[in-house]
Amino acid sequence: MIERITGHTVLTGLLGSPVAHSISPMMHNEAFRLLNLDYAYLAFDVGTDNLKTAVDGFKVLGVRGFNCTMPDKNLICEYVDKLSPAATLIGAVNTVVNDNGVLTGHNTDGVGYMLAVKDAGYDIIGKKMTLLGAGGAATAICAQAALDGVSEIDVYSIKDQFFDRAMQMVDNITKTTGCKAALYELPDDTSLRKSISESYILTNGTSVGMSPNVDSSIINDSTMFHENLIVSDVIYNPQKTKLLKLAEAAGLNTFNGMYMLLYQGAEAFKIWTDQEMPTDLIKEKFFTTK
């Protein structure tokens, strides 16, 4: 057993706001302990205003790597030296690795989500998805789902700073993959209702409904659902968002963002350490299915 903390301890962490609710520190620190790695993971509440300062500080301090969560996933692209192919396509970063002062941004969210779908027992390959949101997590899901073989994705978003980038992404997906992707502006209940009626899965890829704003949901009308629909949410705090509660009350199968967090974290862990996270043990200790 290594001593905690030593003079050789390697620092990793999380940047975002808010982050106090995150279970990433517990997950990664337990994985470090299980593998006897002299690493530590801390959470830092840093929004976009101070992001560059924080990244510059991490670089100077020799921090091995860090995760980025909302609202930092898009802006962080401007402050790293290189982007992985996935991060370039998505236009967002959730994992950064520091190789001797060179920062490379990766995006493991999409892989994490698709593994979470499989873990929940569903096969969405060849089927249609309705996706809410066009920010960092949503675009990662959209890109990976298309690459993995989801046949059609309708993306719904407010017309914010991410909208034009999302339009470029869905056009690129349609041109370069076998998936038909389209972007629609919220609110458009008529179009959204039609899309959901044709979809196998509805996914909330936004922060709407996340603690402390637990009474919020993009969809508030359960008649938007159909009886065979699966409803998922990238949020894991609370474990049951208003959207998921509404879907469960309608008798639908649901799952939250817990396992997406697990699997995207496992991919980040491997990038930093070159070792596999013991996901079965981490799941057993920290994660639930609902």
Side-chain angles (χ1 to χ4, degrees):
M1 179 71 67
I2 63 172
E3 296 292 334
R4 309 298 301 252
I5 297 293
T6 76
H8 300 282
T9 300
V10 177
L11 181 61
T12 59
L14 172 66
L15 295 179
S17 186
V19 292
H21 66 280
S22 177
I23 66 172
S24 291
M26 294 180 288
M27 174 176 72
H28 284 283
N29 286 317
E30 177 65 6
F32 295 149
R33 186 190 69 82
L34 290 168
L35 296 179
N36 204 36
L37 295 175
D38 193 1
Y39 281 65
Y41 186 107
L42 297 174
F44 300 91
D45 197 307
V46 177
T48 53
D49 289 348
N50 295 308
L51 183 59
K52 185 178 188 305
T53 302
V55 172
D56 287 344
F58 274 10
K59 192 171 184 178
V60 169
L61 293 171
V63 171
R64 171 56 178 160
F66 54 94
N67 291 127
C68 286
T69 189
M70 296 176 285
D72 297 338
K73 290 185 177 183
N74 298 102
L75 183 59
I76 188 66
C77 294
E78 299 181 17
Y79 304 143
V80 297
D81 302 299
K82 297 190 296 184
L83 292 172
S84 72
T88 300
L89 174 64
I90 297 161
V93 162
N94 79 323
T95 299
V96 176
V97 63
N98 181 1
D99 291 307
N100 299 314
V102 178
L103 302 184
T104 302
H106 297 260
N107 197 304
T108 66
D109 277 334
V111 172
Y113 178 79
M114 293 302 289
L115 288 172
V117 172
K118 183 177 180 181
D119 195 293
Y122 306 115
D123 180 6
I124 64 174
I125 305 307
K127 298 169 184 173
K128 180 173 180 176
M129 168 189 287
T130 299
L131 177 62
L132 305 177
T139 51
I141 291 169
C142 186
Q144 195 64 48
L147 291 170
D148 286 357
V150 171
S151 64
E152 189 172 350
I153 305 171
D154 286 343
V155 181
Y156 286 81
S157 173
I158 60 173
K159 198 162 189 179
D160 58 10
Q161 68 268 33
F162 306 125
F163 197 85
D164 290 343
R165 177 177 57 80
M167 180 65 75
Q168 294 176 355
M169 184 191 66
V170 297
D171 287 345
N172 189 35
I173 284 173
T174 299
K175 291 175 182 177
T176 61
T177 74
C179 177
K180 178 183 176 183
L183 177 66
Y184 301 91
E185 186 178 352
L186 287 172
D188 185 349
D189 288 352
T190 301
S191 173
L192 180 58
R193 184 182 293 271
K194 181 177 185 298
S195 177
I196 292 173
S197 72
E198 299 168 346
S199 291
Y200 180 79
I201 189 167
L202 166 68
T203 300
N204 176 40
T206 77
S207 61
V208 177
M210 185 172 72
S211 181
N213 301 311
V214 297
D215 294 326
S216 299
S217 176
I218 292 175
I219 295 174
N220 292 284
D221 181 2
S222 62
T223 66
M224 301 279 277
F225 304 144
H226 62 81
E227 63 180 359
N228 296 316
L229 183 70
I230 298 161
V231 180
S232 72
D233 205 316
V234 299
I235 294 169
Y236 62 88
N237 182 33
Q239 291 191 25
K240 292 187 180 180
T241 59
K242 183 178 180 181
L243 174 65
L244 295 189
K245 288 179 179 178
L246 191 70
E248 288 186 356
L252 305 184
N253 291 323
T254 68
F255 64 95
N256 63 22
M258 293 287 278
Y259 285 174
M260 176 179 171
L261 175 68
L262 170 65
Y263 291 119
Q264 65 80 24
E267 187 69 15
F269 186 93
K270 185 175 182 180
I271 290 170
W272 298 328
T273 68
D274 292 323
Q275 296 199 41
E276 299 286 344
M277 177 183 280
T279 52
D280 288 345
L281 295 174
I282 298 301
K283 182 191 293 186
E284 182 180 350
K285 184 162 185 177
F286 296 113
F287 292 83
T288 58
T289 58
K290 291 291 183 181

